[in-house]
Amino acid sequence: MKDTPLLMRSELVAASLRGEKDVTRRLRGLSASAMRKPGAVYVNDDPSAWWFQRMEGASALFHAMTEARQLEVRCPYGCPGDRLWLREAWRIQRCDDVRRLAVVEWNTPDPANDGYNDAQVLGVPLGLAMPRRSNQTWRSPIHMPRWASRCTVEICSVRPERVQSITEEDAKREGVTPLATSHRGYPGTGAALTTHEPRYRAGFAAVWRSMHGDHWERNGYCWRVEYRRIET
């Protein structure tokens, strides 16, 4: 069983703890990064040039649209049965080397802890630095150790899909806030501004654009990872 860290905003970690979020979409391995290898091919270089065929274990098989060419992309998050532990902003309020105990605080309340945003964590490493003050600055999620994570989930399913194929129901499961959209009719017709009811899909698209630029407009591929929370 694979055990992989996953960065997530604190409010979405809290939504996962409440059972309001059980799906996440990610780009790693499908889009080029700053560490792109020379000659490497990514499906999101030209997403319309590839079609997804099937999953084989933790790998996705893509076929080129116009030539006899295949591309295998391994999902970095794992496959069904593997676990993800969620990383978020955090800080240590107090620690006790004798009892190997620390009080960890997170950015949003913990619904499993009567709404408090801190909790005692047992079995922490020895020699943790005591904070100089209780309101020390928040630590980056990148540096969160395994023992400080408050949420572990198990992957139920994983597959690549075009980002715009997300449904209203699935957007709600992403834990986003619904967003109202509006538009005017054709110029010169005098049509009034039309406002639509808030929709989760519109809210997801706004968040996705803020994080990934024009990937939404290009309708690139992303990993759709469905999970369930487990007690640890």
Side-chain angles (χ1 to χ4, degrees):
M1 180 183 64
K2 188 178 179 182
D3 201 44
T4 305
L6 185 72
L7 295 178
M8 189 174 288
R9 297 202 309 271
S10 288
E11 62 269 25
L12 296 181
V13 174
S16 296
L17 289 168
R18 294 192 300 269
E20 297 172 2
K21 176 178 174 62
D22 59 5
V23 173
T24 187
R25 283 166 170 77
R26 303 288 166 138
L27 292 181
R28 187 178 164 193
L30 298 171
S31 294
S33 66
M35 301 297 292
R36 178 175 187 149
K37 298 178 181 179
V41 176
Y42 296 88
V43 294
N44 279 333
D45 288 345
D46 185 3
S48 61
W50 299 92
W51 61 276
F52 166 63
Q53 185 184 33
R54 67 181 184 276
M55 292 292 298
E56 287 191 356
S59 295
L61 296 182
F62 292 87
H63 282 269
M65 298 289 287
T66 59
E67 57 182 307
R69 187 181 182 189
Q70 189 179 72
L71 183 63
E72 180 177 342
V73 183
R74 188 167 183 82
C75 178
Y77 308 106
C79 56
D82 289 337
R83 293 183 176 184
L84 304 169
W85 54 277
L86 307 186
R87 278 177 160 170
E88 58 182 307
W90 65 295
R91 60 187 176 189
I92 300 173
Q93 292 286 24
R94 298 184 300 279
C95 56
D96 185 337
D97 269 355
V98 176
R99 293 187 293 168
R100 294 190 65 189
L101 176 149
V103 176
V104 178
E105 183 181 3
W106 303 284
N107 232 340
T108 53
D110 187 345
N113 190 30
D114 296 326
Y116 292 99
N117 65 336
D118 58 12
Q120 290 186 353
V121 179
L122 299 175
V124 302
L126 296 175
L128 288 177
M130 280 291 292
R132 294 181 180 178
R133 56 188 185 280
S134 61
N135 63 339
Q136 65 166 334
T137 57
W138 293 101
R139 300 188 181 189
S140 168
I142 296 176
H143 302 302
M144 171 178 272
R146 178 71 177 88
W147 57 262
S149 175
R150 58 174 167 166
C151 187
T152 300
V153 300
E154 181 181 285
I155 296 176
C156 300
S157 67
V158 58
R159 67 173 186 270
E161 63 177 34
R162 304 292 286 270
V163 66
Q164 289 187 23
S165 67
I166 188 171
T167 63
E168 180 72 4
E169 178 185 356
D170 229 31
K172 183 177 181 179
R173 294 173 64 185
E174 283 274 359
V176 300
T177 302
L179 177 69
T181 57
S182 59
H183 73 277
R184 291 188 182 276
Y186 289 105
T189 63
L193 182 69
T194 302
T195 301
H196 302 280
E197 291 184 4
R199 296 179 62 85
Y200 288 98
R201 192 173 183 274
F204 175 83
V207 172
W208 194 263
R209 287 189 183 100
S210 70
M211 296 173 61
H212 304 296
D214 67 348
H215 183 269
W216 176 267
E217 278 68 28
R218 296 176 64 239
N219 195 20
Y221 281 97
C222 61
W223 296 109
R224 180 194 182 274
V225 182
E226 183 177 348
Y227 57 81
R228 67 178 184 89
R229 182 195 170 199
I230 59 174
E231 300 291 341
T232 55

